[in-house]
Amino acid sequence: MKTFPELVQTLRETRNLPDPELKALLEHQGPDEVLFQAADETRREIYGDEVYIRGLIEFTNYCRNNCYYCGIRRDNKNAERYRLSQEEILDCCEEGYALGFRTFVLQGGEDPYYTDARICAIVTEIRRRFPDCAITLSIGEKTRESYQAFFDAGANRYLLRHETANDPHYRSLHPDGMQLSNRKRCLYDLKEIGYQVGSGFMVGSPGQTTECIIQDLRFLQDLQPDMIGIGPYITHPDTPFAACPSGSVDLTLRLVAVLRLMFPYALLPATTALGTLHPLGRELGLKAGANVVMPNLSPVSVRKLYELYENKICTGEEAAQCRGCLERRVDSAGYQIVTAIGNVKRESAGERG
């Protein structure tokens, strides 16, 4: 078996490892500096020291689904529900644009109130007012026709984590009626329509094994998404998994670096979940190869209510404070926030099998 540095070097050179070597890399007992350095060098070759910002607008915490890990699941009677109006969403965009944001991410539960017509109306107006911005949707599983309608209205990116590519594991995290095959169908539909697509998975979700993670990596190799979002699973007290431990920051950081080496071109966020479990989590994520951060543009009055997991950070700051704070944090880690739209740079990385 290769040594840890040899595994890292092979992964960097070939963007792939056989399953046994991937397992050895993921289960390595020891420091990750060699891996983090390789990941950082790889991201700098393509993206330099630039970190892209995405303005996150969490516009509804209603959800028709009942996922066992999620704080806004349908049966959580303790959740205080809210919806933002179209004008409130546009106000968030106005404020964000003035602060330099050129990508808006509309994220919400699968809320039946927001019909295709309502989503299309919101997207159309954002596109009209901010023609130089990217519009990203993260609103769950829809029909291909719905995705096409949103795209035609002006949306050009879509985030939909697959959560786990292992079917038994998927069923253990979701109620009957939700299927991994449908989640995958959605992702392939989005790619075929022409979206820049983001997927990803939770690290340390209940029942996850190293073999599950390897399946996640193999699925991502097949999908070849533009964005890959991972974060540690964090327990929420009002879910069936309330007694389960949260995921590992160390393993999440290791996986960020592995993803950077496997997908050099990818847009990888340093997630809020990382910052929730570790005071320097997002900075560590950047040093491990991430190159995107997603400050919150939602009205302060609703930020605490969009509680997918417990003790979420950045719920009390105004957008300008949040932007300034994050800029200082990114700078302290050795990178710089840029206000570019931040498209994926596949051509810079070269295409490799």
Side-chain angles (χ1 to χ4, degrees), residues 287-345:
K287 291 180 177 181
N291 64 330
V292 172
V293 289
M294 298 174 66
N296 203 327
L297 290 179
S298 309
V300 173
S301 60
V302 303
R303 288 189 192 179
K304 284 185 170 65
L305 306 181
Y306 198 85
E307 190 180 69
L308 304 182
Y309 48 79
E310 198 171 24
N311 300 319
K312 180 180 168 186
I313 58 171
C314 296
T315 57
E317 299 172 325
E318 296 289 349
Q321 291 176 283
C322 195
R323 164 82 159 82
C325 170
L326 206 51
E327 187 146 15
R328 291 188 293 275
R329 285 175 170 269
V330 169
D331 184 67
S332 72
Y335 308 95
Q336 61 165 329
I337 281 180
V338 294
T339 56
I341 196 169
N343 284 319
V344 68
K345 294 185 177 180

Short mmCIF file of all heavy atoms in Angstrom, two decimals, residues 287-345:
data_model
loop_
_atom_site.label_atom_id
_atom_site.label_comp_id
_atom_site.label_asym_id
_atom_site.label_seq_id
_atom_site.Cartn_x
_atom_site.Cartn_y
_atom_site.Cartn_z
N LYS A 287 -8.45 26.93 3.40
CA LYS A 287 -7.07 26.42 3.36
C LYS A 287 -7.01 24.98 2.87
O LYS A 287 -5.94 24.51 2.45
CB LYS A 287 -6.44 26.55 4.74
CG LYS A 287 -6.18 28.00 5.15
CD LYS A 287 -5.54 28.09 6.53
CE LYS A 287 -5.24 29.53 6.89
NZ LYS A 287 -4.60 29.65 8.22
N ALA A 288 -8.14 24.27 2.94
CA ALA A 288 -8.20 22.89 2.46
C ALA A 288 -8.62 22.81 0.99
O ALA A 288 -8.76 21.71 0.46
CB ALA A 288 -9.16 22.08 3.32
N GLY A 289 -8.85 23.95 0.34
CA GLY A 289 -9.16 23.93 -1.09
C GLY A 289 -10.47 24.57 -1.49
O GLY A 289 -10.77 24.65 -2.69
N ALA A 290 -11.28 25.02 -0.54
CA ALA A 290 -12.55 25.67 -0.89
C ALA A 290 -12.29 27.06 -1.48
O ALA A 290 -11.27 27.69 -1.20
CB ALA A 290 -13.45 25.76 0.33
N ASN A 291 -13.25 27.53 -2.29
CA ASN A 291 -13.06 28.86 -2.90
C ASN A 291 -14.36 29.65 -3.03
O ASN A 291 -14.46 30.57 -3.83
CB ASN A 291 -12.41 28.72 -4.28
CG ASN A 291 -13.27 27.97 -5.29
OD1 ASN A 291 -14.06 27.10 -4.92
ND2 ASN A 291 -13.12 28.30 -6.56
N VAL A 292 -15.37 29.30 -2.22
CA VAL A 292 -16.65 29.99 -2.24
C VAL A 292 -17.13 30.16 -0.80
O VAL A 292 -16.95 29.26 0.03
CB VAL A 292 -17.72 29.19 -3.02
CG1 VAL A 292 -19.11 29.81 -2.87
CG2 VAL A 292 -17.35 29.09 -4.50
N VAL A 293 -17.70 31.32 -0.48
CA VAL A 293 -18.39 31.51 0.79
C VAL A 293 -19.77 32.10 0.49
O VAL A 293 -19.95 32.79 -0.51
CB VAL A 293 -17.62 32.42 1.77
CG1 VAL A 293 -16.38 31.71 2.30
CG2 VAL A 293 -17.25 33.75 1.13
N MET A 294 -20.73 31.81 1.37
CA MET A 294 -22.11 32.20 1.10
C MET A 294 -22.70 32.96 2.28
O MET A 294 -23.42 32.40 3.11
CB MET A 294 -22.95 30.96 0.78
CG MET A 294 -22.48 30.24 -0.47
SD MET A 294 -23.31 28.68 -0.82
CE MET A 294 -24.97 29.23 -1.15
N PRO A 295 -22.39 34.26 2.38
CA PRO A 295 -22.99 35.07 3.45
C PRO A 295 -24.49 35.18 3.30
O PRO A 295 -25.04 35.02 2.21
CB PRO A 295 -22.33 36.44 3.28
CG PRO A 295 -21.27 36.28 2.25
CD PRO A 295 -21.52 35.03 1.50
N ASN A 296 -25.14 35.46 4.41
CA ASN A 296 -26.59 35.48 4.47
C ASN A 296 -27.13 36.87 4.17
O ASN A 296 -26.80 37.84 4.85
CB ASN A 296 -27.04 35.03 5.87
CG ASN A 296 -28.44 34.49 5.88
OD1 ASN A 296 -29.29 34.95 5.13
ND2 ASN A 296 -28.70 33.51 6.74
N LEU A 297 -27.98 36.96 3.15
CA LEU A 297 -28.67 38.21 2.82
C LEU A 297 -30.11 38.24 3.33
O LEU A 297 -30.80 39.24 3.16
CB LEU A 297 -28.69 38.43 1.31
CG LEU A 297 -27.37 38.76 0.61
CD1 LEU A 297 -27.60 38.93 -0.88
CD2 LEU A 297 -26.74 40.02 1.19
N SER A 298 -30.55 37.16 3.96
CA SER A 298 -31.93 37.11 4.44
C SER A 298 -32.15 38.19 5.50
O SER A 298 -31.23 38.57 6.22
CB SER A 298 -32.22 35.74 5.07
OG SER A 298 -31.87 34.69 4.20
N PRO A 299 -33.39 38.68 5.63
CA PRO A 299 -33.67 39.62 6.72
C PRO A 299 -33.30 39.03 8.07
O PRO A 299 -33.54 37.84 8.32
CB PRO A 299 -35.18 39.84 6.61
CG PRO A 299 -35.52 39.50 5.20
CD PRO A 299 -34.58 38.41 4.80
N VAL A 300 -32.68 39.83 8.93
CA VAL A 300 -32.24 39.33 10.24
C VAL A 300 -33.41 38.72 11.01
O VAL A 300 -33.26 37.75 11.75
CB VAL A 300 -31.58 40.47 11.05
CG1 VAL A 300 -31.26 40.01 12.47
CG2 VAL A 300 -30.30 40.92 10.35
N SER A 301 -34.61 39.25 10.79
CA SER A 301 -35.79 38.79 11.54
C SER A 301 -36.12 37.32 11.30
O SER A 301 -36.80 36.70 12.12
CB SER A 301 -37.00 39.65 11.18
OG SER A 301 -37.28 39.55 9.79
N VAL A 302 -35.66 36.75 10.17
CA VAL A 302 -36.01 35.36 9.88
C VAL A 302 -34.82 34.41 9.93
O VAL A 302 -34.98 33.20 9.82
CB VAL A 302 -36.70 35.22 8.50
CG1 VAL A 302 -37.94 36.10 8.45
CG2 VAL A 302 -35.75 35.54 7.36
N ARG A 303 -33.62 34.94 10.10
CA ARG A 303 -32.44 34.08 9.98
C ARG A 303 -32.42 32.95 11.00
O ARG A 303 -32.03 31.83 10.68
CB ARG A 303 -31.16 34.90 10.12
CG ARG A 303 -30.89 35.78 8.92
CD ARG A 303 -29.53 36.41 9.01
NE ARG A 303 -29.38 37.46 8.02
CZ ARG A 303 -28.30 38.20 7.89
NH1 ARG A 303 -27.27 37.99 8.69
NH2 ARG A 303 -28.23 39.13 6.97
N LYS A 304 -32.81 33.24 12.23
CA LYS A 304 -32.81 32.19 13.25
C LYS A 304 -33.87 31.12 12.96
O LYS A 304 -33.79 30.02 13.48
CB LYS A 304 -33.06 32.80 14.64
CG LYS A 304 -31.85 33.52 15.24
CD LYS A 304 -32.15 33.99 16.65
CE LYS A 304 -30.89 34.48 17.35
NZ LYS A 304 -30.33 35.69 16.73
N LEU A 305 -34.85 31.47 12.14
CA LEU A 305 -35.96 30.54 11.88
C LEU A 305 -35.61 29.51 10.81
O LEU A 305 -36.24 28.45 10.75
CB LEU A 305 -37.21 31.32 11.45
CG LEU A 305 -37.66 32.43 12.40
CD1 LEU A 305 -38.92 33.11 11.87
CD2 LEU A 305 -37.91 31.88 13.80
N TYR A 306 -34.61 29.81 9.98
CA TYR A 306 -34.19 28.83 8.96
C TYR A 306 -33.13 27.94 9.60
O TYR A 306 -31.95 28.04 9.34
CB TYR A 306 -33.65 29.54 7.72
CG TYR A 306 -33.62 28.63 6.50
CD1 TYR A 306 -34.75 28.47 5.71
CD2 TYR A 306 -32.47 27.92 6.17
CE1 TYR A 306 -34.74 27.62 4.61
CE2 TYR A 306 -32.45 27.07 5.07
CZ TYR A 306 -33.58 26.94 4.30
OH TYR A 306 -33.57 26.09 3.20
N GLU A 307 -33.60 27.06 10.46
CA GLU A 307 -32.70 26.27 11.30
C GLU A 307 -32.70 24.81 10.84
O GLU A 307 -33.46 23.98 11.34
CB GLU A 307 -33.11 26.36 12.78
CG GLU A 307 -32.08 25.78 13.72
CD GLU A 307 -32.49 25.88 15.18
OE1 GLU A 307 -33.45 25.19 15.57
OE2 GLU A 307 -31.84 26.64 15.91
N LEU A 308 -31.84 24.53 9.87
CA LEU A 308 -31.70 23.15 9.41
C LEU A 308 -31.04 22.29 10.47
O LEU A 308 -31.26 21.09 10.56
CB LEU A 308 -30.87 23.10 8.13
CG LEU A 308 -31.35 23.95 6.94
CD1 LEU A 308 -30.45 23.74 5.74
CD2 LEU A 308 -32.80 23.64 6.59
N TYR A 309 -30.18 22.93 11.27
CA TYR A 309 -29.47 22.25 12.34
C TYR A 309 -29.29 23.23 13.49
O TYR A 309 -29.60 24.43 13.38
CB TYR A 309 -28.11 21.73 11.86
CG TYR A 309 -27.29 22.75 11.10
CD1 TYR A 309 -26.56 23.74 11.76
CD2 TYR A 309 -27.25 22.75 9.70
CE1 TYR A 309 -25.83 24.68 11.07
CE2 TYR A 309 -26.52 23.70 9.00
CZ TYR A 309 -25.80 24.65 9.69
OH TYR A 309 -25.08 25.58 8.99
N GLU A 310 -28.78 22.75 14.61
CA GLU A 310 -28.72 23.53 15.84
C GLU A 310 -27.53 24.50 15.85
O GLU A 310 -26.47 24.22 15.29
CB GLU A 310 -28.62 22.58 17.04
CG GLU A 310 -28.99 23.20 18.36
CD GLU A 310 -29.08 22.16 19.47
OE1 GLU A 310 -28.47 21.09 19.36
OE2 GLU A 310 -29.79 22.44 20.44
N ASN A 311 -27.73 25.66 16.49
CA ASN A 311 -26.65 26.63 16.77
C ASN A 311 -26.01 27.22 15.52
O ASN A 311 -24.83 27.55 15.50
CB ASN A 311 -25.57 26.00 17.65
CG ASN A 311 -26.12 25.55 18.98
OD1 ASN A 311 -26.93 26.24 19.59
ND2 ASN A 311 -25.69 24.37 19.43
N LYS A 312 -26.77 27.36 14.45
CA LYS A 312 -26.27 27.93 13.21
C LYS A 312 -25.71 29.34 13.44
O LYS A 312 -26.31 30.15 14.16
CB LYS A 312 -27.42 27.98 12.20
CG LYS A 312 -27.07 28.54 10.84
CD LYS A 312 -28.33 28.53 9.97
CE LYS A 312 -28.16 29.33 8.72
NZ LYS A 312 -29.43 29.43 7.98
N ILE A 313 -24.56 29.62 12.85
CA ILE A 313 -23.91 30.92 13.04
C ILE A 313 -24.49 31.96 12.08
O ILE A 313 -25.24 31.65 11.16
CB ILE A 313 -22.39 30.83 12.84
CG1 ILE A 313 -22.06 30.30 11.43
CG2 ILE A 313 -21.76 29.96 13.91
CD1 ILE A 313 -20.58 30.38 11.08
N CYS A 314 -24.09 33.21 12.31
CA CYS A 314 -24.43 34.34 11.43
C CYS A 314 -25.93 34.58 11.31
O CYS A 314 -26.44 34.86 10.24
CB CYS A 314 -23.82 34.16 10.04
SG CYS A 314 -22.03 34.16 10.04
N THR A 315 -26.64 34.47 12.43
CA THR A 315 -28.08 34.70 12.37
C THR A 315 -28.45 36.09 12.89
O THR A 315 -29.61 36.50 12.76
CB THR A 315 -28.84 33.66 13.22
OG1 THR A 315 -28.36 33.70 14.56
CG2 THR A 315 -28.63 32.26 12.65
N GLY A 316 -27.49 36.82 13.45
CA GLY A 316 -27.84 38.10 14.06
C GLY A 316 -27.24 39.32 13.41
O GLY A 316 -27.50 40.44 13.83
N GLU A 317 -26.43 39.11 12.36
CA GLU A 317 -25.75 40.25 11.75
C GLU A 317 -26.53 40.79 10.55
O GLU A 317 -27.13 40.03 9.79
CB GLU A 317 -24.36 39.82 11.27
CG GLU A 317 -23.43 39.33 12.37
CD GLU A 317 -22.15 38.74 11.82
OE1 GLU A 317 -22.21 38.11 10.75
OE2 GLU A 317 -21.11 38.91 12.45
N GLU A 318 -26.48 42.11 10.37
CA GLU A 318 -27.00 42.70 9.15
C GLU A 318 -26.11 42.25 7.99
O GLU A 318 -24.97 41.85 8.18
CB GLU A 318 -26.99 44.23 9.25
CG GLU A 318 -27.91 44.80 10.32
CD GLU A 318 -29.38 44.66 9.96
OE1 GLU A 318 -29.69 44.32 8.80
OE2 GLU A 318 -30.23 44.89 10.85
N ALA A 319 -26.65 42.33 6.77
CA ALA A 319 -25.91 41.85 5.60
C ALA A 319 -24.55 42.54 5.47
O ALA A 319 -23.54 41.91 5.18
CB ALA A 319 -26.74 42.07 4.34
N ALA A 320 -24.52 43.86 5.69
CA ALA A 320 -23.25 44.59 5.56
C ALA A 320 -22.24 44.13 6.60
O ALA A 320 -21.05 43.97 6.31
CB ALA A 320 -23.50 46.09 5.68
N GLN A 321 -22.70 43.90 7.84
CA GLN A 321 -21.80 43.40 8.88
C GLN A 321 -21.28 42.03 8.52
O GLN A 321 -20.10 41.72 8.68
CB GLN A 321 -22.54 43.32 10.21
CG GLN A 321 -22.91 44.64 10.84
CD GLN A 321 -23.73 44.41 12.11
OE1 GLN A 321 -24.93 44.12 12.04
NE2 GLN A 321 -23.10 44.51 13.25
N CYS A 322 -22.18 41.18 8.05
CA CYS A 322 -21.83 39.81 7.68
C CYS A 322 -20.79 39.82 6.57
O CYS A 322 -19.80 39.09 6.61
CB CYS A 322 -23.09 39.07 7.23
SG CYS A 322 -22.91 37.29 7.15
N ARG A 323 -20.99 40.68 5.57
CA ARG A 323 -20.05 40.81 4.45
C ARG A 323 -18.70 41.28 4.94
O ARG A 323 -17.65 40.72 4.57
CB ARG A 323 -20.64 41.78 3.43
CG ARG A 323 -19.69 42.32 2.39
CD ARG A 323 -19.49 41.34 1.25
NE ARG A 323 -19.00 41.99 0.06
CZ ARG A 323 -17.74 42.31 -0.18
NH1 ARG A 323 -16.80 42.07 0.71
NH2 ARG A 323 -17.39 42.88 -1.33
N GLY A 324 -18.68 42.29 5.79
CA GLY A 324 -17.42 42.81 6.30
C GLY A 324 -16.67 41.81 7.16
O GLY A 324 -15.45 41.65 7.04
N CYS A 325 -17.41 41.13 8.02
CA CYS A 325 -16.81 40.13 8.90
C CYS A 325 -16.18 39.01 8.08
O CYS A 325 -15.05 38.59 8.33
CB CYS A 325 -17.87 39.56 9.83
SG CYS A 325 -17.35 38.13 10.79
N LEU A 326 -16.91 38.56 7.07
CA LEU A 326 -16.41 37.46 6.25
C LEU A 326 -15.19 37.89 5.45
O LEU A 326 -14.24 37.12 5.27
CB LEU A 326 -17.52 36.98 5.32
CG LEU A 326 -17.43 35.53 4.85
CD1 LEU A 326 -17.25 34.57 6.03
CD2 LEU A 326 -18.68 35.15 4.08
N GLU A 327 -15.20 39.13 4.97
CA GLU A 327 -14.04 39.62 4.22
C GLU A 327 -12.78 39.60 5.08
O GLU A 327 -11.71 39.20 4.63
CB GLU A 327 -14.32 41.03 3.70
CG GLU A 327 -13.25 41.55 2.78
CD GLU A 327 -13.80 42.45 1.68
OE1 GLU A 327 -14.95 42.90 1.80
OE2 GLU A 327 -13.07 42.68 0.72
N ARG A 328 -12.92 40.01 6.32
CA ARG A 328 -11.76 39.99 7.24
C ARG A 328 -11.30 38.56 7.50
O ARG A 328 -10.10 38.28 7.57
CB ARG A 328 -12.12 40.69 8.55
CG ARG A 328 -12.30 42.20 8.40
CD ARG A 328 -12.45 42.89 9.75
NE ARG A 328 -13.67 42.53 10.44
CZ ARG A 328 -14.85 43.12 10.24
NH1 ARG A 328 -14.97 44.09 9.34
NH2 ARG A 328 -15.92 42.74 10.92
N ARG A 329 -12.25 37.65 7.66
CA ARG A 329 -11.89 36.26 7.91
C ARG A 329 -11.17 35.65 6.71
O ARG A 329 -10.17 34.94 6.86
CB ARG A 329 -13.15 35.45 8.24
CG ARG A 329 -13.71 35.68 9.63
CD ARG A 329 -15.01 34.92 9.84
NE ARG A 329 -15.44 34.95 11.23
CZ ARG A 329 -15.12 34.04 12.13
NH1 ARG A 329 -14.35 33.02 11.80
NH2 ARG A 329 -15.56 34.13 13.38
N VAL A 330 -11.69 35.91 5.52
CA VAL A 330 -11.07 35.38 4.31
C VAL A 330 -9.66 35.94 4.14
O VAL A 330 -8.71 35.23 3.81
CB VAL A 330 -11.95 35.69 3.08
CG1 VAL A 330 -11.21 35.40 1.77
CG2 VAL A 330 -13.25 34.89 3.14
N ASP A 331 -9.52 37.24 4.39
CA ASP A 331 -8.22 37.89 4.29
C ASP A 331 -7.22 37.29 5.30
O ASP A 331 -6.06 37.05 4.97
CB ASP A 331 -8.38 39.39 4.53
CG ASP A 331 -7.06 40.14 4.34
OD1 ASP A 331 -6.58 40.19 3.19
OD2 ASP A 331 -6.52 40.66 5.33
N SER A 332 -7.70 37.01 6.50
CA SER A 332 -6.81 36.45 7.53
C SER A 332 -6.33 35.04 7.15
O SER A 332 -5.27 34.60 7.62
CB SER A 332 -7.54 36.40 8.88
OG SER A 332 -8.53 35.38 8.90
N ALA A 333 -7.10 34.35 6.32
CA ALA A 333 -6.71 33.00 5.89
C ALA A 333 -5.76 33.03 4.70
O ALA A 333 -5.24 31.99 4.29
CB ALA A 333 -7.95 32.19 5.54
N GLY A 334 -5.54 34.22 4.13
CA GLY A 334 -4.59 34.35 3.02
C GLY A 334 -5.23 34.42 1.65
O GLY A 334 -4.57 34.18 0.64
N TYR A 335 -6.52 34.78 1.61
CA TYR A 335 -7.24 34.85 0.34
C TYR A 335 -7.95 36.19 0.25
O TYR A 335 -7.94 36.98 1.19
CB TYR A 335 -8.24 33.69 0.22
CG TYR A 335 -7.60 32.34 0.47
CD1 TYR A 335 -7.63 31.75 1.73
CD2 TYR A 335 -6.92 31.68 -0.55
CE1 TYR A 335 -7.01 30.55 1.98
CE2 TYR A 335 -6.30 30.47 -0.31
CZ TYR A 335 -6.34 29.90 0.95
OH TYR A 335 -5.72 28.70 1.19
N GLN A 336 -8.61 36.45 -0.88
CA GLN A 336 -9.34 37.71 -1.04
C GLN A 336 -10.70 37.45 -1.65
O GLN A 336 -10.84 36.66 -2.59
CB GLN A 336 -8.55 38.69 -1.91
CG GLN A 336 -8.28 38.19 -3.32
CD GLN A 336 -7.84 39.27 -4.27
OE1 GLN A 336 -8.22 40.44 -4.12
NE2 GLN A 336 -7.03 38.91 -5.26
N ILE A 337 -11.69 38.14 -1.11
CA ILE A 337 -13.04 38.08 -1.69
C ILE A 337 -13.08 38.94 -2.94
O ILE A 337 -12.57 40.06 -2.96
CB ILE A 337 -14.08 38.56 -0.66
CG1 ILE A 337 -14.39 37.45 0.35
CG2 ILE A 337 -15.37 39.01 -1.35
CD1 ILE A 337 -15.41 37.82 1.39
N VAL A 338 -13.67 38.39 -3.99
CA VAL A 338 -13.86 39.15 -5.22
C VAL A 338 -15.34 39.20 -5.54
O VAL A 338 -16.10 38.31 -5.15
CB VAL A 338 -13.07 38.53 -6.41
CG1 VAL A 338 -11.58 38.64 -6.18
CG2 VAL A 338 -13.47 37.08 -6.64
N THR A 339 -15.76 40.23 -6.25
CA THR A 339 -17.18 40.41 -6.52
C THR A 339 -17.57 39.91 -7.90
O THR A 339 -18.67 40.15 -8.37
CB THR A 339 -17.58 41.90 -6.40
OG1 THR A 339 -16.76 42.67 -7.29
CG2 THR A 339 -17.38 42.39 -4.98
N ALA A 340 -16.67 39.18 -8.55
CA ALA A 340 -16.98 38.61 -9.87
C ALA A 340 -18.14 37.62 -9.75
O ALA A 340 -18.41 37.08 -8.68
CB ALA A 340 -15.75 37.91 -10.44
N ILE A 341 -18.79 37.38 -10.88
CA ILE A 341 -19.91 36.44 -10.90
C ILE A 341 -19.44 35.03 -10.54
O ILE A 341 -20.19 34.23 -10.01
CB ILE A 341 -20.60 36.48 -12.28
CG1 ILE A 341 -21.98 35.84 -12.21
CG2 ILE A 341 -19.73 35.86 -13.36
CD1 ILE A 341 -22.82 36.07 -13.46
N GLY A 342 -18.18 34.72 -10.82
CA GLY A 342 -17.59 33.48 -10.32
C GLY A 342 -18.07 32.22 -11.00
O GLY A 342 -18.51 31.29 -10.35
N ASN A 343 -17.96 32.19 -12.33
CA ASN A 343 -18.31 30.98 -13.05
C ASN A 343 -17.24 29.91 -12.89
O ASN A 343 -16.07 30.21 -12.61
CB ASN A 343 -18.53 31.26 -14.54
CG ASN A 343 -19.86 31.94 -14.82
OD1 ASN A 343 -20.88 31.59 -14.22
ND2 ASN A 343 -19.87 32.91 -15.72
N VAL A 344 -17.62 28.67 -13.11
CA VAL A 344 -16.69 27.56 -13.04
C VAL A 344 -15.64 27.70 -14.14
O VAL A 344 -15.92 28.23 -15.22
CB VAL A 344 -17.46 26.22 -13.16
CG1 VAL A 344 -18.04 26.03 -14.54
CG2 VAL A 344 -16.58 25.05 -12.75
N LYS A 345 -14.42 27.26 -13.86
CA LYS A 345 -13.31 27.39 -14.83
C LYS A 345 -12.84 26.01 -15.26
O LYS A 345 -11.71 25.60 -15.00
CB LYS A 345 -12.16 28.18 -14.22
CG LYS A 345 -12.48 29.63 -13.91
CD LYS A 345 -11.26 30.38 -13.42
CE LYS A 345 -11.56 31.85 -13.17
NZ LYS A 345 -10.36 32.59 -12.69
#
